[in-house]
Amino acid sequence: MCYSVDEMRVLREDYRRTLLDEIAPFWVRHGWDREHGGIHTALNEDGSLIDSDKSVWFQGRAAWTYSTLGQAYGAEGDWTRLAGSCLSFLREHCRADDGKLYFTMTREGRPLRMRRRYAFSESFACVGSAAYAQLTGDERAALEAMAYFERYLEVMRTGGGVEPKVEVATRPMKGLAPQMILLAMAQELRADLGDVTVGGATCTQWIDRVIDEVETAFLKPDLQALMEVVGENNEVLDHFDGRMLVPGHAIECAWFILHEVRVRGGDARLLKLGLTILDWMWERGWDREFGGMLYFTDLKGLPVQEYWAEMKFWWPHNETEIATLLAWHLTGDESYARKHQQVREWSRKVFVDTKGGGDWFGYAHRDGRISTRLKGNMWKGPFHIPRMYWYCEQLLAERLRR
Amino acid sequence: MCYSVDEMRVLREDYRRTLLDEIAPFWVRHGWDREHGGIHTALNEDGSLIDSDKSVWFQGRAAWTYSTLGQAYGAEGDWTRLAGSCLSFLREHCRADDGKLYFTMTREGRPLRMRRRYAFSESFACVGSAAYAQLTGDERAALEAMAYFERYLEVMRTGGGVEPKVEVATRPMKGLAPQMILLAMAQELRADLGDVTVGGATCTQWIDRVIDEVETAFLKPDLQALMEVVGENNEVLDHFDGRMLVPGHAIECAWFILHEVRVRGGDARLLKLGLTILDWMWERGWDREFGGMLYFTDLKGLPVQEYWAEMKFWWPHNETEIATLLAWHLTGDESYARKHQQVREWSRKVFVDTKGGGDWFGYAHRDGRISTRLKGNMWKGPFHIPRMYWYCEQLLAERLRR
């Protein structure tokens, strides 16, 4: 069975060194806004600022990342201060009068955009606050994490209290994304605060509910696919949106489920479910011609509405790298180690900035040529990449300890 | 001076034949929904239907296209019936209770999506109704064209009566697109119904107002660019959105202005303005490495937020082909004929379906490889391509007659 102990040591060291020497410092050095607080993510390839507007998602995400690194590798001062600065920026500037978080802000903290129908800002604020609370013992952050979680549930239940989209009546739909985010939030809250009760259930109960819904509503054994969207009776909607698959996203869901197997010390049903999703969506996403994970594919192999469907984004590769390593860890099945190596090599070849500008590029054409040389924007910042390095390093460390 | 009379004859015949033998029949054969009325645009490369949902924009656009072809080449029965069918579908199904048009509908005509802040559906319904009224003498269509025009003005003035986006207070912005659409609508209304008064001004007055605003607010001589967005005091906004240029869109604006020169039988100021926009935006848009017009570029050459910025879309090539031919026609300047030939050759090589499936592909990677093989979706259908073939054919015919 590959990997050997020696190979694991080398791999682990590579994850650790790249994370601590290159990825984590890049955003501390270039992203942290020491004047106004919080973090900038719109950075050019050399780390220079190309847009001073701030992503609200990334205040929570960066708080999570640097608090998590602090938990794993020791609370280095800058990491804790950066995480705290992001949470302060959220608290002081990013809340509308009714408490709902905005989506983007000016550098100084004036609101630019609100997306009332969505609660992704809340979800990242939740995990950032929880991880920070665990790192520092900050009671207020722990309470805020719970409050963000409850807000998330409320928005999910009420649609943000805004007039529903027209299609809600004509063609009711359910999405995978809100379920997955809920799963990740509940796992993080439990890891940091214990299996607390929030919104009327324990974290573990939320996790079980979500996984049941994923299996019942979105997994289609006859089609060998995990859908992104289904109808109200879990039916496949034979339209562009309904047929659209996002293999990297489904594989992220797979590793959240496999992580649950790891946490529980084994669970045959969840193991089978996570592996099934990973296997099917690897088949649907891996590009046999150019390598890498395609961004969108169509359930029936028809053209996808989005003209960038063929592109290669950094994050599906991060998710696939975690999922395959974790699958190998849980099963010892060599084929997962091979896939792990395959996605790792392809993504390093394509996304790593060999000129040493720091962090990864994010967007490549199908053939692996980089399509934009920025290192961050409102969607790319210190999250998927450090999470991958950290998760894989910790998993290998755990394995090597045994 | 190229083109010679013989070259013009060959070119004109090519435009005419391709339009009448290939482009126009494709959508009559595959798009027209003879059962429920109106037109489908989500077609695969062989014309088969891949999504039965209908674009409201394209009900108006197809009505315009087939009415315009009817005016130019004789009211062939199917063209008139298809145009009429699209207008009936609009009238019977696409209006909400308050008269506002939806954005997408089911095949049968049930509403899927409303975009209350925008009036692009109205603008295309306006030009479709006006062209149909001119073709058939249908009085109701003429009145509806005027009503859609007024509705457009109202949405532009009131923001659709919905709560303004947060950024309106923090960072007020003005866009080029609504101005350009107003210009095109006023030109079309005048061509079909005469220089009528609508919304308190004649069509020509609206045209003059818009061109003044384009020149005053969006043209930046010190930067040699036509902006897509400016601040409330016409200032450049140094953010992703504010710096983003869409050369194909600006060049479309250039030819609307040059068309005004053609209609007025000469106008030195407008000629200079139109040529200036064309020259500057060609410089910013033409890809010297791979050929073709880049979709988005950044005012300062920084990375663009949109990861598909480098892609090549069909329609900027259509607009550039019209603009360069028209510029050559108005000036006799050979360099425009050369550019016309350049964009024509590149787009035919890249977008034409050599297997004879009909119409063009729409989306290519930067290097010209097709990125999705569909022939239509909610944004691509019978509009830019037939408009280009028709406009260039008519322009060459007019020139050959002299």
Side-chain angles (χ1 to χ4, degrees):
Chain A
M1 153 183 111
C2 65
Y3 297 106
S4 70
V5 170
D6 279 349
E7 284 168 335
M8 279 193 279
R9 284 210 183 95
V10 171
L11 201 51
R12 183 201 162 189
E13 184 58 16
D14 180 71
Y15 280 125
R16 204 187 60 82
R17 274 241 314 271
T18 308
L19 174 60
L20 301 184
D21 296 352
E22 296 174 28
I23 306 296
F26 178 85
W27 297 95
V28 175
R29 188 178 314 131
H30 301 293
W32 188 0
D33 182 353
R34 288 171 176 81
E35 188 182 348
H36 300 284
I39 195 163
H40 289 297
T41 50
L43 304 184
N44 208 341
E45 58 182 317
D46 61 356
S48 59
L49 191 67
I50 50 178
D51 193 336
S52 59
D53 293 342
K54 285 175 180 153
S55 152
V56 176
W57 287 15
F58 266 102
Q59 306 312 313
R61 282 175 156 186
W64 178 84
T65 295
Y66 287 99
S67 300
T68 299
L69 296 186
Q71 292 178 32
Y73 308 107
E76 200 247 292
D78 267 356
W79 291 351
T80 309
R81 277 193 293 276
L82 171 51
S85 172
C86 291
L87 293 180
S88 298
F89 191 84
L90 274 175
R91 192 180 295 125
E92 288 160 23
H93 302 295
C94 302
R95 293 176 184 163
D97 288 344
D98 66 350
K100 180 84 186 67
L101 291 176
Y102 291 106
F103 178 68
T104 45
M105 317 294 296
T106 67
R107 158 179 243 155
E108 299 81 12
R110 286 189 305 148
L112 282 172
R113 199 166 159 210
M114 167 61 88
R115 298 172 78 198
R116 205 163 271 286
R117 226 183 284 277
Y118 305 97
F120 297 113
S121 292
E122 280 73 9
S123 74
F124 299 121
C126 166
V127 297
S129 302
Y132 185 79
Q134 157 72 6
L135 177 69
T136 62
D138 183 328
E139 262 304 313
R140 181 170 60 166
L143 292 172
E144 286 175 330
M146 307 272 281
Y148 287 128
F149 192 99
E150 288 183 348
R151 186 83 184 205
Y152 181 89
L153 293 173
E154 183 201 318
V155 174
M156 213 174 157
R157 199 172 51 238
T158 62
V162 291
E163 197 194 349
K165 293 189 179 179
V166 177
E167 66 198 6
V168 170
T170 302
R171 185 184 297 155
M173 289 190 275
K174 304 194 285 193
L176 177 64
Q179 298 291 339
M180 275 177 57
I181 294 276
L182 180 53
L183 172 54
M185 272 198 304
Q187 288 180 325
E188 186 62 38
L189 220 54
R190 185 185 55 187
D192 294 318
L193 310 181
D195 198 7
V196 291
T197 294
V198 54
T202 65
C203 294
T204 301
Q205 285 170 330
W206 282 116
I207 291 165
D208 284 331
R209 284 183 202 174
V210 168
I211 295 178
D212 284 350
E213 172 74 0
V214 167
E215 189 171 14
T216 308
F218 296 94
L219 191 73
K220 301 294 169 199
D222 50 328
L223 303 167
Q224 307 213 332
L226 187 72
M227 309 307 298
E228 285 292 316
V229 160
V230 293
E232 62 178 338
N233 300 312
N234 304 338
E235 73 278 22
V236 170
L237 300 167
D238 195 2
H239 297 278
F240 279 127
D241 288 355
R243 290 194 307 261
M244 191 183 75
L245 305 176
V246 191
H249 196 233
I251 288 173
E252 184 178 14
C253 185
W255 83 251
F256 291 169
I257 295 170
L258 294 176
H259 178 70
E260 204 53 29
V261 180
R262 181 183 171 201
V263 168
R264 295 184 187 187
D267 182 313
R269 175 186 148 244
L270 296 190
L271 179 63
K272 183 166 174 241
L273 177 63
L275 296 176
T276 298
I277 296 173
L278 171 56
D279 293 345
W280 289 348
M281 299 313 282
W282 172 284
E283 281 305 306
R284 288 182 171 276
W286 186 262
D287 182 351
R288 284 172 192 79
E289 193 176 345
F290 291 100
M293 295 298 291
L294 297 163
Y295 193 42
F296 295 140
T297 60
D298 183 276
L299 180 69
K300 296 178 169 180
L302 293 170
V304 180
Q305 163 113 315
E306 278 70 20
Y307 31 85
W308 64 88
E310 283 191 353
M311 290 183 78
K312 308 287 167 60
F313 284 38
W314 81 103
W315 67 263
H317 298 83
N318 298 151
E319 305 312 326
T320 307
E321 189 164 332
I322 295 176
T324 48
L325 188 68
L326 186 50
W328 170 73
H329 169 73
L330 293 172
T331 64
D333 182 338
E334 269 190 37
S335 72
Y336 291 119
R338 275 197 300 273
K339 282 176 176 155
H340 173 257
Q341 204 172 346
Q342 197 174 335
V343 69
R344 190 170 157 268
E345 284 175 2
W346 197 89
S347 61
R348 299 307 185 279
K349 188 181 68 190
V350 166
F351 294 112
V352 168
D353 180 0
T354 52
K355 288 191 200 155
D359 208 68
W360 291 21
F361 297 113
Y363 305 92
H365 295 286
R366 185 174 172 192
D367 61 8
R369 211 161 26 82
I370 292 300
S371 81
T372 169
R373 299 189 67 80
L374 50 71
K375 293 289 171 56
N377 55 24
M378 299 301 141
W379 294 275
K380 184 177 182 294
F383 187 64
H384 294 93
I385 295 169
R387 183 170 74 169
M388 185 266 287
Y389 281 101
W390 158 80
Y391 195 94
C392 292
E393 192 277 335
Q394 294 281 299
L395 186 65
L396 289 166
E398 179 187 312
R399 204 175 166 89
L400 285 163
R401 275 196 301 274
R402 294 202 311 213
Chain B
M1 149 184 114
C2 66
Y3 295 107
S4 70
V5 169
D6 279 349
E7 284 169 335
M8 279 194 277
R9 283 210 183 96
V10 171
L11 202 50
R12 183 201 163 191
E13 185 57 16
D14 180 70
Y15 279 125
R16 203 187 61 81
R17 274 241 313 270
T18 308
L19 175 60
L20 301 185
D21 296 353
E22 297 174 27
I23 306 297
F26 179 84
W27 297 95
V28 175
R29 188 177 315 131
H30 301 293
W32 188 1
D33 182 354
R34 287 171 176 83
E35 189 182 348
H36 300 284
I39 195 163
H40 289 298
T41 51
L43 305 184
N44 208 341
E45 56 182 317
D46 61 357
S48 59
L49 191 67
I50 50 179
D51 194 337
S52 59
D53 293 343
K54 286 175 180 155
S55 152
V56 176
W57 287 15
F58 266 102
Q59 307 311 314
R61 283 175 155 186
W64 178 84
T65 295
Y66 286 99
S67 299
T68 298
L69 296 186
Q71 291 179 30
Y73 307 107
E76 201 247 291
D78 266 357
W79 291 351
T80 310
R81 278 193 293 275
L82 171 51
S85 172
C86 290
L87 294 180
S88 298
F89 191 84
L90 275 174
R91 193 181 293 126
E92 289 160 23
H93 302 295
C94 302
R95 293 176 184 163
D97 288 345
D98 66 351
K100 181 84 186 66
L101 291 176
Y102 291 107
F103 178 68
T104 45
M105 317 293 295
T106 67
R107 158 180 243 155
E108 300 80 11
R110 286 189 305 150
L112 281 172
R113 198 166 160 209
M114 168 61 87
R115 298 172 78 199
R116 204 164 273 284
R117 225 182 284 277
Y118 305 96
F120 296 114
S121 291
E122 280 74 8
S123 75
F124 298 122
C126 166
V127 297
S129 301
Y132 185 79
Q134 158 71 7
L135 177 69
T136 61
D138 183 329
E139 262 304 313
R140 180 170 61 166
L143 292 172
E144 286 175 331
M146 307 272 282
Y148 286 128
F149 192 100
E150 289 183 349
R151 185 85 185 205
Y152 182 90
L153 293 173
E154 183 202 317
V155 173
M156 212 173 155
R157 198 172 53 238
T158 62
V162 290
E163 196 194 349
K165 293 188 180 183
V166 177
E167 66 198 7
V168 170
T170 302
R171 185 184 298 154
M173 289 191 274
K174 304 193 285 192
L176 177 64
Q179 298 290 339
M180 274 177 59
I181 293 277
L182 180 53
L183 172 54
M185 271 198 303
Q187 288 181 325
E188 187 61 37
L189 220 54
R190 186 184 55 186
D192 294 319
L193 310 181
D195 198 7
V196 291
T197 295
V198 55
T202 65
C203 293
T204 301
Q205 285 170 332
W206 282 115
I207 291 166
D208 284 330
R209 283 184 203 174
V210 169
I211 295 178
D212 284 350
E213 173 74 0
V214 168
E215 188 170 13
T216 309
F218 297 93
L219 191 73
K220 300 294 169 199
D222 51 327
L223 303 167
Q224 306 213 332
L226 187 72
M227 310 306 298
E228 284 292 315
V229 160
V230 293
E232 63 179 339
N233 301 313
N234 305 337
E235 73 278 22
V236 170
L237 300 168
D238 195 2
H239 296 277
F240 279 126
D241 288 354
R243 290 193 307 261
M244 190 183 74
L245 305 176
V246 191
H249 196 233
I251 287 174
E252 183 178 15
C253 185
W255 84 250
F256 292 168
I257 296 170
L258 294 176
H259 178 70
E260 204 53 29
V261 180
R262 181 183 170 201
V263 167
R264 294 183 188 188
D267 183 314
R269 176 186 147 247
L270 297 190
L271 179 64
K272 181 164 175 245
L273 177 62
L275 296 176
T276 298
I277 297 172
L278 172 57
D279 293 346
W280 289 347
M281 300 312 283
W282 172 285
E283 281 305 306
R284 287 181 172 277
W286 186 262
D287 181 351
R288 284 172 191 77
E289 193 176 345
F290 291 100
M293 296 297 291
L294 297 163
Y295 193 42
F296 295 141
T297 61
D298 183 277
L299 181 69
K300 296 178 168 179
L302 293 169
V304 180
Q305 163 113 315
E306 277 71 18
Y307 32 85
W308 63 88
E310 283 191 353
M311 289 184 79
K312 307 288 166 59
F313 284 37
W314 81 102
W315 66 263
H317 298 84
N318 298 151
E319 305 311 327
T320 306
E321 188 164 331
I322 294 175
T324 48
L325 188 68
L326 186 50
W328 171 74
H329 169 74
L330 294 172
T331 64
D333 182 337
E334 268 189 38
S335 72
Y336 291 120
R338 275 198 300 273
K339 281 177 176 153
H340 172 256
Q341 205 171 345
Q342 198 173 333
V343 69
R344 191 171 155 268
E345 283 175 3
W346 196 89
S347 61
R348 298 308 185 280
K349 189 180 67 191
V350 166
F351 295 111
V352 168
D353 181 359
T354 51
K355 287 190 199 156
D359 208 68
W360 291 20
F361 296 115
Y363 305 93
H365 294 288
R366 186 174 173 193
D367 61 8
R369 211 162 25 84
I370 293 300
S371 81
T372 169
R373 300 189 67 81
L374 50 69
K375 292 290 171 54
N377 54 24
M378 298 300 141
W379 295 275
K380 183 175 182 294
F383 186 64
H384 294 93
I385 295 170
R387 182 169 76 169
M388 184 267 286
Y389 279 102
W390 158 79
Y391 195 94
C392 292
E393 191 277 336
Q394 294 280 298
L395 186 64
L396 289 166
E398 179 186 313
R399 203 175 168 91
L400 285 163
R401 276 196 301 273
R402 294 199 315 213

